[in-house]
Amino acid sequence: MIVHLIAIGNNMPSWVKEGFDEYQSRLRNEVQLKMVEIPAQARKKNADISKILKEEGQKMLAAVPKGARIVGLDVVGKAVTTPELSQMMAGWLQGGTDIALLIGGPEGFSDDVKQSFQQSISLSKLTLPHPMVRILVAEQLFRAWSILHNHPYHRE
């Protein structure tokens, strides 16, 4: 299974790539993690945010591989624990399709993108910096995988 982490924003600081790469490399062949960056449009003083969201959303949906299950990472999504995420991962693996995890821009997602979600999960009620979310998601996917394989990384 390939998990495509599709995120608005590029040109991240080096610590983001290093953190993401660390957890990406820990995942085994059964689960591959790939990053897809969609450049964010400029948000000037009088920018039309709804137009920006729509255009970024179209690019984001175009980046979703055909047949992939679309999972939105959204503040209003279902809050899940790490063990619950591992059970989701088990289901995803059993389903045999790739996963597209979507991370929106500063204002979130357009309605078109939200309507494409087959699942929506929330990482936290806190507002998290988008660069950090990439690392957090990679770490949690590795942790979920480690639970499924009785790897000693996860301790309760």
Side-chain angles (χ1 to χ4, degrees):
M1 171 180 78
I2 300 172
V3 177
H4 304 268
L5 187 58
I6 303 171
I8 299 295
N10 59 347
N11 298 324
M12 294 291 124
S14 61
W15 61 267
V16 175
K17 181 170 177 17
E18 290 168 13
F20 179 85
D21 289 351
E22 174 64 28
Y23 292 105
Q24 179 187 43
S25 70
R26 293 183 186 194
L27 286 165
R28 303 297 188 256
N29 291 337
E30 180 183 29
V31 178
Q32 295 176 42
L33 180 59
K34 294 186 177 184
M35 172 61 70
V36 179
E37 295 181 325
I38 308 294
Q41 291 189 4
R43 282 147 168 85
K44 297 178 181 172
K45 186 176 181 180
N46 294 318
D48 183 346
I49 298 301
S50 62
K51 182 180 176 189
I52 289 172
L53 284 176
K54 186 171 183 72
E55 290 173 5
E56 288 176 346
Q58 289 170 342
K59 291 176 183 174
M60 184 173 269
L61 292 175
V64 173
K66 186 175 182 171
R69 180 176 188 78
I70 300 174
V71 180
L73 300 176
D74 196 4
V75 70
V76 297
K78 180 184 187 288
V80 295
T81 64
T82 301
E84 288 170 336
L85 180 61
S86 74
Q87 290 307 305
M88 278 185 192
M89 181 180 277
W92 297 340
L93 285 163
Q94 215 169 29
T97 61
D98 290 344
I99 305 299
L101 290 177
L102 307 185
I103 300 173
E107 296 85 14
F109 298 102
S110 68
D111 289 337
D112 292 344
V113 173
K114 285 184 179 185
Q115 290 173 8
S116 74
F117 294 167
Q118 292 166 289
Q119 279 182 288
S120 178
I121 59 177
S122 173
L123 298 176
S124 173
K125 290 183 178 187
L126 299 171
T127 301
L128 301 171
H130 287 232
M132 196 169 287
V133 168
R134 296 170 186 217
I135 300 169
L136 181 65
V137 169
E139 190 278 337
Q140 284 297 296
L141 289 172
F142 172 69
R143 187 177 293 273
W145 177 89
S146 72
I147 291 170
L148 292 177
H149 292 85
N150 297 312
H151 187 281
Y153 180 77
H154 178 74
R155 294 176 184 84
E156 291 190 77

